[in-house]
Amino acid sequence: MTVQHHPATALQGAAILPLKDGRDGGLVFTIAVLSFLACIAVIAALAADRAAQGWARQLAGSATVQVRPMGGLSGPEAAAQAAEALAGVKGVLEARAMDRKSAEALLEPWLGKGNIPADLPLPQLVTVELDPEKPATAAALNQALKAAHLSAAVDDHSRWMADVRASSDTVRASSAIACLLISAAAGAVIAFATRQGLAARRDIVEVLHLCGAEDPFVARLFQKRFAGLAMRASAYGALAAAAVGAILRLTGGSDGFSPALPIAWTDLAACVAAPVLGATVAAVSAHSVAMAILREQV
Amino acid sequence: MSSQGTEFTTQTALEATIPVVSFESVSMRYGQSPEVLRDLNFTLATGSFHFLTGASGAGKSSLLKLIYMAARPSRGALRIFDRDISHTPREHLPLLRRRIGVVFQEFRLLDHLNAFDNVALPLRIAGRKVEDYQSDVVELLEWVGLGHRLWAMPPTLSGGEKQRLSIARAVVTKPDILLADEPTGNVDHAMALRILRLLVELNRMGATVVIASHDQDLVARSGMPVMHLEDGQLSTLAPTVSQPPTPEPVGLDE
Ligand SMILES: Nc1ncnc2c1ncn2[C@@H]1O[C@H](COP(=O)(O)OP(=O)(O)OP(=O)(O)O)[C@@H](O)[C@H]1O
Ligand SMILES: [Mg+2]
């Protein structure tokens, strides 16, 4: 028998749990905020990682040699000789003795423009540009200087690179921990909401049981409901985070005013994961809490 | 069908196989309060039809609760479908409950679901597809006189309509046991008779039926055996009309 006088679609079966709960507004807001924070943490970590990589690349591509005047050579003379010796080393693209002007320019931030006395002894520096593919090692540079009978200290920036690497690891770990904590918080919020929902819908749950529903059937109703809600709320948060990221990118980005946090458009794609992750966390949390509560009943 | 205490005395060999419900010294209480049912001993043969009477508060609903497994006995052995219910783990109850239809005294319809969805609920729970049951549900709703109210929400239904809706939900799975708690409490006499005929019909199709009722007139006219609760104890009374019940109980035809 078919129902002719009614559209068949209307008989598809409404949601067994009432759709509107009133309390949902606060829950959506909370999950959206958590999602927003998680997305911002991830975007920041991605940008910080990119910045660190940039610094590391710059540091790895150069070395600084400080030359001590010795054996009757003046400072600039010694520096010029050192530059010559270093230029011939394999893995060095260019070696340039820094003239007094550029050395003074380096000191200006500390001493102030025009405050540097003309007779202030400045270190004689040679900047070495290394082949980024196969950079010369500090040992090779030292050997070349020794062969030219020059006394000098080579700084290949490895110490700074280690620092940069360490701080970028810290940023990455902090972001991961933040995301974990935020996920846990979302899970806890959903667990609370599930507990509330089960209590508020006790009458419905009881009817379902008396009609032969098994616990997983009931748990799935709450799981589906909260997973859907969390997915929606996480999407709101992710959208907001993406908007903030986009504003930062437009006003600065990788080569704008905030080179310290070079956001790329691709970083914003990370926000896509938020609704999926939010829904997963909510589903797992709601299901396990509902099952735990139901199992306690007689 | 016997009217004296135990079922086995006058049963045929076939009926005497295994009772569908068996109470052995069963008592029941709510929490720490005094027992509302004390030391009940009776069995229900497969395909039997009983009325359950007793004053308000005598424990009729409580006795039905034991059978539909919403409560467990505090003492004694309760067997349903030959399973010891007191010791059946919780996760085995749903499949047993699906074989029991219940018309609750307070209906317990889901107010946010329309009439169709309320009746379809046990089928959805059993995992049936809407394409498979849609026509059955519509047909059943027409049978209880609600064919024109498929989309009505329970709060918009009259008392009698709610009652018939809850009867439809109870019988939609063609249960082996049908428990009806005051199924005629909210309807006029004509409708009460109609509902009773419906339940007798289901009984003829094989369901074991227990109806808790205050309606002395209805009980008398049905000619069915009566279990009477008093002081938490059960006395089985002779049916007021004939014994055994005729295939077409007197007083039920238009
Ligand atoms: N959920 C409950 N918690 C505690 N006591 C209860 C509960 N339900 C019923 N009782 C008590 O158990 C006793 C039997 O109640 P029950 O509902 O079984 O009676 P009844 O015969 O169905 O009455 P009625 O004809 O009014 O429906 C009553 O004294 C009642 O107060
Ligand atoms: Mg009652």
Side-chain angles (χ1 to χ4, degrees), chain A residues 120-135:
Chain A
L120 182 76
L122 293 180
Q124 298 301 317
L125 297 177
V126 178
T127 56
V128 183
E129 199 184 314
L130 300 171
D131 181 351
E133 302 295 317
K134 275 186 178 156

Side-chain angles (χ1 to χ4, degrees), chain B residues 161-198:
Chain B
E161 286 173 328
K162 282 185 202 163
Q163 192 122 50
R164 284 178 277 150
L165 186 56
S166 78
I167 290 170
R169 185 182 63 186
V171 304
V172 72
T173 53
K174 302 193 175 70
D176 296 323
I177 300 178
L178 182 69
L179 308 173
D181 203 344
E182 304 286 354
T184 58
N186 289 268
V187 295
D188 61 30
H189 195 69
M191 179 57 78
L193 279 179
R194 228 176 111 191
I195 288 173
L196 183 62
R197 266 198 300 280
L198 197 156

Side-chain angles (χ1 to χ4, degrees), chain B residues 1 3 10 22 33 45 62 93 98 100 105 120 139 154 156 182 206 211 219 230 241 246 249-250:
Chain B
M1 202 69 229
S3 58
T10 60
S22 147
S33 58
S62 306
L93 298 183
R98 287 181 198 179
I100 303 175
Q105 188 167 14
E139 210 166 0
T156 70
E182 304 286 354
I211 305 176
V219 174
E230 207 172 317
V241 187
T246 57
V250 274

Side-chain angles (χ1 to χ4, degrees), chain A residues 83-234:
Chain A
E84 209 170 304
L86 290 170
V89 176
K90 203 164 172 227
V92 172
L93 294 181
E94 196 190 352
R96 207 154 34 81
M98 198 184 280
D99 54 25
R100 185 166 175 94
K101 233 195 190 133
S102 357
E104 277 179 6
L106 281 178
L107 287 176
E108 250 173 38
W110 283 274
L111 300 178
K113 208 177 167 87
N115 285 343
I116 303 166
D119 56 352
L120 182 76
L122 293 180
Q124 298 301 317
L125 297 177
V126 178
T127 56
V128 183
E129 199 184 314
L130 300 171
D131 181 351
E133 302 295 317
K134 275 186 178 156
T137 60
L141 299 179
N142 266 324
Q143 200 162 11
L145 292 164
K146 214 167 172 188
H149 305 290
L150 291 162
S151 165
V154 174
D155 174 8
D156 67 351
H157 302 160
S158 55
R159 198 158 59 83
W160 307 118
M161 267 157 67
D163 279 358
V164 166
R165 222 171 281 131
S167 56
S168 94
D169 285 350
T170 308
V171 168
R172 209 177 302 142
S174 312
S175 156
I177 290 170
C179 283
L180 273 177
L181 286 177
I182 288 169
S183 303
V189 170
I190 292 292
F192 182 75
T194 305
R195 209 172 282 281
Q196 287 253 308
L198 266 166
R201 300 297 173 199
R202 206 205 316 263
D203 48 345
I204 293 176
V205 170
E206 202 175 320
V207 170
L208 295 177
H209 275 141
L210 294 178
C211 287
E214 291 169 308
D215 289 346
F217 177 91
V218 177
R220 266 197 305 277
L221 296 177
F222 285 90
Q223 169 192 335
K224 252 166 73 183
R225 200 188 133 69
F226 285 116
L229 184 146
M231 181 180 273
R232 191 159 51 88
S234 305

Side-chain angles (χ1 to χ4, degrees), chain B residues 8 12 30 45-46 51 58 81 133 149 157 167 181 184 217 230:
Chain B
F8 295 102
T12 66
Y30 291 96
T46 306
F51 274 100
F81 301 125
Y133 62 69
R149 309 236 40 193
L157 295 176
I167 290 170
D181 203 344
T184 58
D217 181 57
E230 207 172 317

Side-chain angles (χ1 to χ4, degrees), chain A residues 57-72:
Chain A
R57 206 164 30 240
Q58 281 172 21
L59 289 170
S62 64
T64 314
V65 176
Q66 188 178 343
V67 187
R68 288 177 213 98
M70 200 180 80

Side-chain angles (χ1 to χ4, degrees), chain B residues 30 36 55-62 65 105 182 214:
Chain B
Y30 291 96
V36 293
S56 180
K60 303 182 292 297
S61 299
S62 306
K65 259 186 215 168
Q105 188 167 14
E182 304 286 354
H214 278 130

